[in-house]
Amino acid sequence: MRITTNMIRRNYQNNLSSTLGGLELSRRQVETGRRVAYAYEDPSSAYKGAVLERRYARNADYTDSTKNGKKWLSSQEGVLDSLNDDAVNIVENFSVSAMSDPSGDVGREAYAKQLREIQKNMVFALNTQYGDAYVMAGNDGMNPPFVLSEDGKTLTYRGVDVDVAENPKAIYSYDIKTDTGSYRDSDVITVTGAAPASKTYDLYVRDDGTGDITTAEANDPQQLAKAIAKKMDGKESEEYTITAEGNKIIYTAKNGGAIGDTIGDGTKNPPAAAPGGFTITSAHDDGNGNLTPNTNVQTMTGSQVEVQQGVTGTEEYKELYKFSQEKAYIDLGFGMKFDTEGNVIPSSAFDTALPGINVVGFGIDDDGLSNNMISLVGQMAEILEQDEFDSDAYGTLWMKLKSQTNELQNESTTIGAKYNLLETTEDRLSEEKLHIEEQYKDTVGIEEADAITNFVYAQYVYNVALKIGTNIINPSLLDFMNS
Amino acid sequence: MLRATFSGFNMSMLALMASQRALDVTGQNLSNVNTAGYTRQRLDLSSISPAGHSIANSPYDAKVGQGVRMDGVSQIRDPFLDNQYRNQLAKMGTADATTSILQEIRNVFDETDKEAVRVQLSDIVSQLDNLAHTESAGTSSADALVRSACEVLLNTIHQNASDMEDVRGDLLEKLETSVIPDIDGLLRDIKELNQSIKNTQVLGNPALELQDQRNELIDELATYLPIEVSYKELNLGAGIKVDTLQVAVPVTVNGQKKKLSLIDDTDIGSIDVKRNGDGSIQEPVQLFLKEATDTSAGSTVDTGVDITEGFDNGVLRGDIDMLNKSEVFDGTDIRGIGYYESSFDMWVNEFAKKMNELNVDADGNKHDLFTTSDGSDKFTASNIKVSDEWMKGEVKITLSTEENAGSTAYDNVLRMMKYLQSDRIEYTASGDSARAIYTSELKITPGDTTGLNSIDVQVGTDMYSIDIKNDGSGDLTSKEATDPEKVAAAIAKKLNDNTNQDYTITAEGTTLVFTAKSTGEVGQKGPAAAPVSYSITQNYIPAPPVNSLVIISNPSVDEKAKGEDSVFVGTMFECYDNIQTTLGIEEKAYKAIYQNHETVLNQIADSKDSVSSVSVDEEVMNLMRFSQSYNAASRVMTTMDEILDKLINGTGVVGR
């Protein structure tokens, strides 16, 4: 190929400018610390960089949330501690024996006053705020959750009296009827439960004591009912407790609420359906294992259904129950997910809610006592204020308060565990942050040593190119011609 | 033959003159070593042969040439390389135009090293996260923080929208004020040069420098659109011939390949775009070419050929494609400015629509967070705004969708966060790119096909027959006709081959599917009408057997779907990142294409230079060569002088 002056010059210029371009690029990389400044330089790294930047931002959010969550839990824990101190104080210093002090009325009145003060204190503690929100208010953080009436008798949580009975429980009763004849020794009484389980329960009538029931008992409907209830309870239904009352078999729902109704998170449902009852048959054992059906005894099921009505506060109890189940999830990067109904799946986020009624209790127990500590304290004070000291009643309340104190301590433990989870999460997040930073640097950043070496090399190449330029461009044959 | 006594002087004089003129040419070459487009020249020499034969021819004499003759000055140029060079220029023009526009779009959407939409969207998530804490859920400041984060994002969105409008506007302006006038100017200049060259050549001057100028202008023209250059020799009589220039533009119009004449000697055509009443360029851009041979009086746009989609390469191609096309959004295959605008609008629409949708209270009442400034129900990057109600505080982020929710229940905020962060969303290009699809189910009961001669499909008054022949010469064999799916496929093929230019007709199982060939709604941009109905009959000879094949056609066709094209599936963030990634990949690809073309162009330029460009070394050598030959010719003359001196003054003086 014929090489011409302009060809050399043009190619030299092209090469020089691309060398300068390389110098510029490596200069920019060293100066900015970034390998990629525009997506076109490396689209996939730029995209990865974007993803990492986003993860970094989320990591910062999660870290903030975790730190904040710890403070939030600390406030809750503070409340629990204060409540616990009060409760322990009462349990230790306000026992029946202390009240039975011979110093009499004046002493009790002083105690009563103290109890009233403690009661108020406990309410103050429960209405503690963090930032603008009440920490024990569940999902209603803007309003003080607990209000104690002037006389100290009524405590409301978000407007609902805490001393409401649970929902009525469904109770079904079945009569055991013995029409004619009587059971004999070696009879087998077979009780068949309702579908779908259709389980059978055999009661052996043995007078030698090896069976479930003696002949005399079998022929007494009340005793028979008792034996059948004993056989069936805990096996026939998970939703009902089965007991005997007179000659009746009583199915009592374990949970309150109307049949088929749903309250709360699904685990505390009232029974989904009424119990289906049962049938009773019997047979005689001839001693060799051959059974002959009895015809002289007819024991049938009753079909009368009786639903016992609730005492008070059906709706209120539901309301309190709903409050007690409230959650306040924060996103800590556990991959927050929702179920089909649009509720957060508990394992995918962190629950910061601690509704106050879960701590101090609500509702009335089977003995008619309040489950609420503050109400109990009020009631104790009330007894002390009366002229006649009812030490039995006081003792019962005191025992109840003591057992509720244990519940309170359980809540403290739960909070501690949650706090620990936050601590580990925080550690994990700070570790993840380091990982992200490292990955980000690998993806869009430079390796300093490489970048500087590249830069120096690019500079060297450029200098060489310039040097070559001065050497090639000028000389031509012209420079060697003698004129 | 007797030699004329002074003939040697003449030969020397020719040699001196030739050397002198050769030095002049060398000087011209050296002077123009840096002149753009200059082609090296050469003095064409030939030796003068001994003239004729003489009556005094003698075997004892030898004939010697009479010296050197200057034939003329010529250029050294390879037309083949010129063509290659120009083709390559056009290709590079496309890549160059596209790359430079993509660079401008990059300034809008590339957030690799800047904080804009992506960071601001992320900030909205952070602010929502802040709202999703019991201690701040009920406070109005937390809501205001989310709102201001949204305002910041919207500002950037508006900025991006107006930047994209600028990109489009700048390009239109470039087309209007630079490209079109430039082409026009080139055509005029070339026309002038054609005239001058012809005039000069008539006078016997080769007009080499003018040709260099013309070649430069043609090269420049070639960057705008593909051209084919040819020369035609025109005999002016009296032995005078001149070259005339023809420039044609190869195009494909209505499926036919044509060469439109742009320059024909001193006639030139013109290129222009369709304009609005106020003289601005009408969008989408339509490009017209009025041929040089078209002598009608109409304007370029009125009488010219629409070549908008007709040519492959050049700056015009790149510019027009970037202006007119938006890939999946209009069913083309090029991601022009519109693609990025539409992608962004689509993203903004999804964001605003969904946030509004999520902001619903327990009673199902919607409280719009965003509205459009122009009342449209479709959000775009330019019309999105924070709703007045939200600005005034009448509307807030709905914290909970639960009935009787507490003051700090915030389940809805969590849903918004999840939507922004991790919900996978299918983004679809709606409207124009939708494709009408109609289906028509055939109810075919397979049966005995003995005697089945044909299945006749009637469309309007036209009848198409599916011939049943067992020797394979028909459309189906009678055995195949017992298979409903094969029957349906044959019917679909028959209809597809014979009817309806607007639809592609295929069979899916026993259902005929009419898919519009073009996108857009029926009667608007897409097909002019829904596909016509048809009826089917079976023709048996002599009579149908018992249990014969039964085809019950559904003569009406049902619209199945508007056929929205899925553009992208992913999260909000991924979708936005996708704009940047797509842009990055496009720019990288076009840069690579540009570099390839550039490399090839440089190689061709090297070849061109190798032939045509001045080499200083060579010219300096020529200087020496011709100065030597000049010296030699002088010596010849001196020698002649000496011998004549001897002859005249030194001869016959013996004994003097």
Side-chain angles (χ1 to χ4, degrees):
Chain A
M1 189 186 222
R2 178 172 169 271
I3 306 297
T4 67
T5 314
N6 269 332
M7 194 194 293
I8 293 171
R9 190 168 303 164
R10 199 190 57 245
N11 287 334
Y12 173 71
Q13 254 169 10
N14 287 343
N15 291 338
L16 187 69
S17 93
S18 79
T19 312
L20 190 60
L23 180 64
E24 164 67 9
L25 178 69
S26 54
R27 179 194 62 74
R28 196 195 68 208
Q29 287 179 341
V30 173
E31 281 176 5
T32 61
R34 293 181 66 107
R35 186 169 58 80
V36 183
Y38 298 105
Y40 78 90
E41 293 171 341
D42 186 347
S44 77
S45 288
Y47 175 68
K48 277 184 214 152
V51 171
L52 288 168
E53 277 170 26
R54 194 153 62 241
R55 279 183 54 200
Y56 190 83
R58 286 293 78 73
N59 181 283
D61 284 351
Y62 298 149
T63 308
D64 279 356
S65 289
T66 314
K67 286 183 177 151
N68 200 45
K70 278 165 70 181
K71 289 181 204 147
W72 176 260
L73 286 190
S74 295
S75 329
Q76 289 178 336
E77 205 172 18
V79 175
L80 291 187
D81 284 350
S82 152
L83 287 175
N84 193 43
D85 288 351
D86 287 340
V88 168
N89 180 15
I90 296 172
V91 169
E92 282 177 2
N93 303 324
F94 291 73
S95 62
V96 182
S97 54
M99 293 309 114
S100 308
D101 195 279
S103 53
D105 297 349
V106 184
R108 277 206 296 278
E109 205 161 296
Y111 276 117
K113 272 191 178 157
Q114 275 191 47
L115 279 179
R116 291 278 179 214
E117 281 311 307
I118 294 172
Q119 190 191 22
K120 277 183 200 157
N121 241 334
M122 290 168 95
V123 175
F124 286 147
L126 283 166
N127 285 347
T128 298
Q129 271 180 297
Y130 173 84
D132 286 332
Y134 292 89
V135 293
M136 309 298 267
N139 277 343
D140 192 26
M142 288 294 108
N143 304 305
F146 286 95
V147 176
L148 184 65
S149 67
E150 200 64 32
D151 59 8
K153 285 183 181 170
T154 330
L155 179 73
T156 56
Y157 177 74
R158 288 163 67 177
V160 182
D161 192 337
V162 297
D163 291 329
V164 290
E166 281 188 38
N167 268 353
K169 285 175 178 170
I171 296 177
Y172 293 82
S173 73
Y174 297 86
D175 287 343
I176 302 291
K177 287 189 272 182
T178 309
D179 289 345
T180 52
S182 55
Y183 292 109
R184 294 168 288 167
D185 193 12
S186 298
D187 272 1
V188 180
I189 302 173
T190 304
V191 180
T192 309
S198 303
K199 285 182 185 160
T200 57
Y201 312 91
D202 288 336
L203 280 90
Y204 295 96
V205 185
R206 298 282 188 275
D207 284 331
D208 59 8
T210 57
D212 299 285
I213 192 168
T214 60
T215 320
E217 285 169 341
N219 288 321
D220 176 352
Q222 298 201 5
Q223 294 291 338
L224 181 62
K226 212 169 157 185
I228 292 174
K230 193 179 161 204
K231 266 281 181 212
M232 285 168 64
D233 188 29
K235 298 191 189 101
E236 175 66 10
S237 171
E238 287 183 358
E239 296 178 319
Y240 291 91
T241 310
I242 301 169
T243 52
E245 211 177 289
N247 64 343
K248 285 176 178 163
I249 303 281
I250 310 286
Y251 284 69
T252 310
K254 288 181 183 166
N255 298 312
I259 301 285
D261 201 1
T262 309
I263 52 167
D265 59 2
T267 56
K268 286 242 173 188
N269 274 347
F278 50 88
T279 54
I280 304 172
T281 54
S282 65
H284 186 67
D285 189 343
D286 67 358
N288 298 319
N290 300 320
L291 289 173
T292 325
N294 273 333
T295 50
N296 62 332
V297 197
Q298 266 192 322
T299 357
M300 295 300 292
T301 57
S303 59
Q304 186 200 357
V305 176
E306 211 177 83
V307 179
Q308 189 183 333
Q309 291 302 313
V311 188
T312 50
T314 313
E315 287 307 312
E316 282 88 343
Y317 188 85
K318 269 191 182 178
E319 187 88 15
L320 286 179
Y321 181 80
K322 197 183 128 205
F323 289 156
S324 76
Q325 296 298 318
E326 280 179 346
K327 312 277 183 215
Y329 289 108
I330 56 173
D331 187 5
L332 296 183
F334 301 160
M336 193 167 59
K337 282 198 182 67
F338 291 77
D339 62 19
T340 45
E341 279 161 25
N343 298 314
V344 176
I345 295 174
S347 63
S348 69
F350 183 85
D351 179 21
T352 59
L354 180 58
I357 45 168
N358 291 4
V359 175
V360 291
F362 65 101
I364 291 173
D365 69 6
D366 293 343
D367 302 327
L369 292 175
S370 171
N371 285 328
N372 183 279
M373 293 172 74
I374 293 161
S375 289
L376 287 172
V377 174
Q379 285 165 16
M380 286 163 79
E382 223 168 293
I383 292 178
L384 292 178
E385 280 159 1
Q386 274 159 11
D387 297 340
E388 281 296 310
F389 177 57
D390 184 345
S391 68
D392 282 352
Y394 186 86
T396 322
L397 290 173
W398 183 83
M399 282 304 291
K400 177 75 180 170
L401 184 74
K402 195 174 169 188
S403 76
Q404 289 301 96
T405 309
N406 291 336
E407 298 274 319
L408 182 69
Q409 279 156 356
N410 286 344
E411 286 291 340
S412 282
T413 321
T414 314
I415 292 254
K418 282 168 99 173
Y419 195 89
N420 281 344
L421 176 60
L422 286 185
E423 294 236 293
T424 38
T425 305
E426 197 180 347
D427 288 349
R428 180 179 62 76
L429 286 170
S430 74
E431 230 168 81
E432 188 189 55
K433 185 181 167 191
L434 287 177
H435 284 307
I436 297 173
E437 280 169 352
E438 217 167 276
Q439 281 182 51
Y440 187 73
K441 202 164 176 299
D442 286 350
T443 312
V444 297
I446 50 156
E447 174 71 43
E448 279 86 356
D450 278 355
I452 291 169
T453 313
N454 284 345
F455 174 67
V456 172
Y457 187 69
Q459 210 168 23
Y460 169 75
V461 169
Y462 181 64
N463 289 344
V464 168
L466 285 177
K467 181 82 182 162
I468 289 173
T470 54
N471 284 342
I472 333 177
I473 297 299
N474 282 341
S476 67
L477 198 51
L478 202 57
D479 299 278
F480 300 96
M481 197 170 84
N482 291 323
S483 49
Chain B
M1 187 198 91
L2 267 182
R3 178 183 175 279
T5 311
F6 295 106
S7 70
F9 278 113
N10 195 45
M11 187 198 282
S12 302
M13 186 194 71
L14 284 174
L16 283 173
M17 276 168 64
S19 295
Q20 227 157 19
R21 189 42 56 93
L23 282 169
D24 288 345
V25 172
T26 307
Q28 167 79 345
N29 282 345
L30 277 172
S31 311
N32 286 297
V33 68
N34 288 327
T35 308
Y38 179 78
T39 307
R40 71 181 165 120
Q41 299 179 0
R42 186 175 61 190
L43 182 67
D44 295 328
L45 298 173
S46 56
S47 70
I48 302 170
S49 64
H53 63 280
S54 161
I55 44 162
N57 250 348
S58 157
Y60 306 106
D61 195 11
K63 296 208 164 143
V64 178
Q66 302 291 305
V68 68
R69 179 171 58 214
M70 292 180 279
D71 294 333
V73 179
S74 64
Q75 283 187 325
I76 302 171
R77 204 173 169 93
D78 183 346
F80 171 70
L81 286 174
D82 283 348
N83 271 340
Q84 264 197 329
Y85 187 71
R86 283 167 193 151
N87 285 341
Q88 200 60 32
L89 273 178
K91 284 181 195 163
M92 226 174 106
T94 324
D96 189 24
T98 312
T99 314
S100 67
I101 297 158
L102 285 175
Q103 260 170 32
E104 283 182 52
I105 301 176
R106 178 227 289 166
N107 293 337
V108 183
F109 288 117
D110 195 329
E111 298 185 2
T112 309
D113 201 13
K114 76 174 177 188
E115 298 197 347
V117 173
R118 200 170 57 217
V119 174
Q120 287 153 2
L121 182 69
S122 171
D123 192 42
I124 293 179
V125 176
S126 297
Q127 294 307 338
L128 282 172
D129 192 21
N130 174 46
L131 188 60
H133 282 84
T134 308
E135 68 268 26
S136 47
T139 61
S140 46
S141 63
D143 182 78
L145 283 172
V146 177
R147 194 187 62 214
S148 32
C150 286
E151 285 177 70
V152 172
L153 173 71
L154 259 51
N155 275 340
T156 314
I157 289 177
H158 292 157
Q159 184 62 48
N160 280 4
S162 99
D163 285 351
M164 284 305 285
E165 271 168 39
D166 286 350
V167 170
R168 186 176 280 279
D170 290 351
L171 185 54
L172 281 171
E173 198 182 318
K174 176 189 149 198
L175 208 56
E176 190 180 345
T177 60
S178 157
V179 176
I180 298 290
D182 206 10
I183 294 174
D184 200 44
L186 286 170
L187 291 176
R188 280 170 206 286
D189 290 350
I190 293 173
K191 176 188 169 174
E192 292 300 317
L193 279 167
N194 282 347
Q195 190 62 55
S196 309
I197 289 170
K198 217 155 77 170
N199 293 346
T200 316
Q201 285 185 341
V202 167
L203 298 175
N205 186 324
L208 300 178
E209 284 72 15
L210 292 177
Q211 287 190 46
D212 281 344
Q213 274 181 42
R214 189 172 65 183
N215 278 324
E216 277 287 288
L217 296 178
I218 296 173
D219 285 353
E220 224 172 293
L221 185 64
T223 60
Y224 289 111
L225 72 175
I227 52 172
E228 286 179 10
V229 179
S230 59
Y231 298 92
K232 215 156 70 181
E233 204 168 66
L234 189 65
N235 198 337
L236 295 177
I240 298 174
K241 288 175 183 168
V242 292
D243 278 343
T244 60
L245 173 77
Q246 322 285 323
V247 174
V249 180
V251 293
T252 311
V253 179
N254 295 330
Q256 286 188 315
K257 288 192 174 179
K258 282 185 190 169
K259 284 180 184 170
L260 301 178
S261 159
L262 189 56
I263 299 173
D264 182 10
D265 192 11
T266 50
D267 292 325
I268 54 167
S270 57
I271 283 174
D272 202 2
V273 288
K274 200 163 191 175
R275 287 163 199 275
N276 296 317
D278 59 357
S280 61
I281 296 177
Q282 187 181 313
E283 279 195 274
V285 179
Q286 279 175 283
L287 188 72
F288 290 87
L289 186 151
K290 184 181 180 184
E291 287 196 85
T293 46
D294 182 352
T295 51
S296 60
S299 73
T300 311
V301 174
D302 290 338
T303 63
V305 182
D306 183 348
I307 58 164
T308 318
E309 290 303 316
F311 59 102
D312 293 333
N313 293 311
V315 169
L316 269 177
R317 177 77 277 144
D319 286 351
I320 291 176
D321 279 350
M322 290 309 275
L323 281 170
N324 284 357
K325 296 184 179 172
S326 43
E327 212 227 8
V328 63
F329 295 97
D330 62 0
T332 54
D333 52 0
I334 288 178
R335 296 190 177 105
I337 298 172
Y339 172 83
Y340 299 98
E341 286 174 329
S342 300
S343 292
F344 192 45
D345 284 346
M346 174 185 81
W347 182 82
V348 168
N349 187 47
E350 173 64 35
F351 167 74
K353 274 233 162 93
K354 188 72 183 190
M355 287 300 276
N356 280 352
E357 210 173 280
L358 282 171
N359 206 44
V360 62
D361 63 21
D363 301 328
N365 300 320
K366 277 171 73 175
H367 302 287
D368 283 354
L369 298 173
F370 302 103
T371 51
T372 55
S373 53
D374 57 5
S376 145
D377 62 348
K378 204 172 166 88
F379 289 92
T380 68
S382 15
N383 75 10
I384 184 175
K385 62 172 230 177
V386 171
S387 73
D388 294 341
E389 289 76 18
W390 197 15
M391 289 302 284
K392 285 184 210 149
E394 290 163 9
V395 160
K396 282 187 174 179
I397 302 256
T398 306
L399 295 174
S400 173
T401 56
E402 301 281 320
E403 274 182 58
N404 304 321
S407 57
T408 54
Y410 52 75
D411 50 284
N412 201 40
V413 182
L414 295 178
R415 275 191 281 277
M416 287 184 179
M417 282 165 65
K418 176 174 164 280
Y419 159 70
L420 290 178
Q421 287 188 84
S422 53
D423 272 2
R424 290 182 72 73
I425 303 153
E426 181 174 8
Y427 299 85
T428 51
S430 53
D432 277 357
S433 86
R435 205 180 275 275
I437 296 174
Y438 291 86
T439 57
S440 169
E441 197 190 343
L442 296 169
K443 292 198 176 65
I444 301 177
T445 315
D448 192 347
T449 53
T450 314
L452 181 63
N453 187 42
S454 66
I455 298 168
D456 299 332
V457 185
Q458 186 168 1
V459 180
T461 54
D462 298 326
M463 180 79 86
Y464 307 105
S465 285
I466 295 156
D467 294 329
I468 316 290
K469 292 215 172 102
N470 285 331
D471 59 4
S473 65
D475 299 304
L476 279 176
T477 62
S478 58
K479 197 181 171 204
E480 283 171 339
T482 58
D483 182 343
E485 294 201 0
K486 284 189 176 147
V487 172
I491 294 170
K493 184 171 185 293
K494 205 66 172 178
L495 284 170
N496 195 45
D497 291 348
N498 293 293
T499 66
N500 218 321
Q501 300 294 317
D502 289 342
Y503 291 88
T504 309
I505 304 162
T506 52
E508 270 177 26
T510 58
T511 302
L512 299 188
V513 182
F514 296 74
T515 311
K517 286 179 184 166
S518 54
T519 55
E521 277 179 44
V522 173
Q524 293 176 10
K525 209 182 156 198
V532 289
S533 59
Y534 58 94
S535 61
I536 295 172
T537 48
Q538 294 90 265
N539 180 17
Y540 285 92
I541 292 175
V546 193
N547 303 326
S548 66
L549 168 74
V550 182
I551 304 173
I552 301 170
S553 64
N554 183 358
S556 67
V557 281
D558 304 318
E559 188 162 0
K560 186 180 165 194
K562 280 266 182 288
E564 290 199 328
D565 288 348
S566 176
V567 178
F568 184 78
V569 180
T571 65
M572 280 304 285
F573 281 101
E574 284 168 356
C575 180
Y576 186 74
D577 285 346
N578 186 49
I579 300 179
Q580 176 191 299
T581 309
T582 309
L583 182 65
I585 292 170
E586 287 276 294
E587 195 181 343
K588 189 178 178 187
Y590 273 105
K591 273 202 166 22
I593 292 172
Y594 179 83
Q595 274 163 8
N596 286 344
H597 287 330
E598 196 185 26
T599 310
V600 175
L601 189 80
N602 276 334
Q603 283 165 2
I604 301 172
D606 278 355
S607 303
K608 247 176 71 143
D609 276 357
S610 173
V611 175
S612 306
S613 148
V614 176
S615 162
V616 173
D617 285 351
E618 195 177 275
E619 299 304 330
V620 171
M621 198 192 72
N622 282 344
L623 280 182
M624 294 193 263
R625 203 168 103 197
F626 295 123
S627 95
Q628 293 289 2
S629 68
Y630 184 87
N631 292 347
S634 307
R635 183 57 59 87
V636 171
M637 188 171 271
T638 314
T639 313
M640 289 298 160
D641 186 43
E642 269 180 22
I643 59 172
L644 281 179
D645 184 50
K646 196 71 188 170
L647 182 68
I648 297 166
N649 298 324
T651 311
V653 290
V654 175
R656 247 202 279 179

